[in-house]
Amino acid sequence: MLVRDAMSTVVLTIGPAHTLRQAAALMAARRVGAAIVLDPDAGGIGILTERDILNSVGLGQDPDTEHTHAHTTNDVVFAAPSWTLEEAARAMAHGGFRHLIVLDRDEPAGIVSVRDIIRCWAPTRQQVPA
């Protein structure tokens, strides 16, 4: 199975000036664990994850004054839609992260997460008769 078969194509995109609270609210509303941050001043495409927000709050930083640009990962590993899920899982395990931005022709096409891969690899849940 390929990344294109597992990835989410509905992607949350935010800017570097969003506060962490705004980013968290948008992520919660869309029920996603990561957002693509488009910041041409910092090299283009970055990623902000729920872990980044959690780390900031855990350090006592104010989510109303902290901006995404200070917490975005800009040294991103990207996946291609044609990667196998094994390649994506290997990249995640090697890098110690749970989300990969999928690029198609240098443009964000989606995000694939560990959860997406597990859904594809795990057998379908079956209803237990009552």
Side-chain angles (χ1 to χ4, degrees):
M1 187 169 275
L2 302 178
V3 165
R4 75 170 48 92
D5 303 318
M7 71 183 192
S8 172
T9 57
V10 178
V11 180
L12 175 60
T13 304
I14 60 176
H18 279 84
T19 66
L20 291 185
R21 183 175 308 280
Q22 290 170 324
L26 290 167
M27 290 165 67
R30 300 240 177 118
R31 299 181 51 131
V32 297
I36 294 176
V37 180
L38 297 179
D39 186 356
D41 295 334
I45 301 170
I47 190 166
L48 179 78
T49 67
E50 56 199 358
R51 182 178 297 169
D52 297 322
I53 296 169
L54 183 66
N55 287 341
S56 175
V57 171
L59 290 171
Q61 297 173 336
D62 183 351
D64 291 314
T65 60
E66 289 294 314
H67 292 94
T68 60
H69 70 84
H71 301 278
T72 298
T73 300
N74 292 310
D75 183 21
V76 179
V77 175
F78 298 102
S82 59
W83 278 19
T84 65
L85 293 185
E86 288 81 6
E87 288 173 304
R90 192 175 310 114
M92 289 179 192
H94 180 32
F97 44 81
R98 298 177 293 164
H99 299 86
L100 281 171
I101 298 173
V102 182
L103 291 184
D104 191 9
R105 297 184 189 100
D106 295 326
E107 293 293 324
I111 291 183
V112 65
S113 69
V114 169
R115 180 177 291 151
D116 296 326
I117 293 172
I118 290 170
R119 281 189 193 126
C120 290
W121 284 349
T124 306
R125 291 187 197 177
Q126 294 185 1
Q127 292 280 347
V128 178

